Amino acid sequence: MAFTYSEKVMDHFANPRNVGEIENADGIGEVGNSKCGDIMKMYLKIDGDTISDVKFKTFGCGAAIATSSMATELIKGKTIDDALKLTNKAVMEALDGLPPVKVHCSVLAEEAIKSAVSDYYTRQGIDPEPIVGKIESAHDHE
């Protein structure tokens, strides 16, 4: 199946932003997708309620790497609440679109952020259940 990627997708694939790990991260989220084998791991450093740093490691296709990269760019420097409001649709729009067969990659990026925030809340002794509900509803965006 042939499809083309936008210049932004190609740029974030060829030159991904915020790749790597954060030692002593405040929150770590890992999500995977059995459909395509993509695995995303997101690391958050949080100061107060602001995401001061975010890094990712993604094992997957070009679209998975590009959506991870763009998602980190969109939440860096933002509050936790703003990060939780980030939708897969916003990630796709920031990348000037994705082919329909790659939309699930943007859903994974949204889920990775919510998973990392959930981990952060758990480490802080805060019930992450409201976050888990948002992760599960993210599948409705596909």
Side-chain angles (χ1 to χ4, degrees):
M1 174 181 278
F3 43 81
T4 56
Y5 289 113
S6 71
E7 284 183 34
K8 282 189 182 177
V9 171
M10 294 307 294
D11 180 43
H12 276 267
F13 167 65
N15 307 292
R17 283 63 151 181
N18 306 307
V19 175
E21 294 180 35
I22 297 175
E23 274 196 47
N24 303 314
D26 295 311
I28 301 170
E30 185 171 346
V31 294
N33 187 313
S34 58
K35 277 191 229 173
C36 59
D38 294 328
I39 299 168
M40 292 182 186
K41 196 163 189 179
M42 195 86 54
Y43 301 82
L44 301 176
K45 195 71 179 166
I46 298 172
D47 293 318
D49 72 340
T50 301
I51 297 169
S52 59
D53 198 10
V54 55
K55 300 249 186 253
F56 78 92
K57 282 191 164 182
T58 293
F59 177 83
C61 65
I65 292 166
T67 55
S68 300
S69 174
M70 180 55 83
T72 61
E73 287 285 277
L74 293 170
I75 67 167
K76 195 172 191 175
K78 299 283 195 298
T79 65
I80 294 170
D81 284 345
D82 285 343
L84 290 174
K85 290 175 190 163
L86 182 71
T87 64
N88 73 299
K89 187 171 183 257
V91 173
M92 285 194 305
E93 286 172 359
L95 288 168
D96 294 335
L98 284 174
V101 298
K102 295 297 180 178
V103 169
H104 65 272
C105 295
S106 63
V107 174
L108 273 182
E110 177 185 338
E111 290 175 351
I113 292 166
K114 289 181 168 83
S115 177
V117 171
S118 177
D119 180 55
Y120 167 71
Y121 282 156
T122 299
R123 293 173 187 224
Q124 297 298 311
I126 300 167
D127 181 10
E129 186 60 38
I131 305 307
V132 175
K134 288 182 182 182
I135 292 170
E136 290 165 359
S137 70
H139 291 289
D140 298 338
H141 299 301
E142 281 191 88

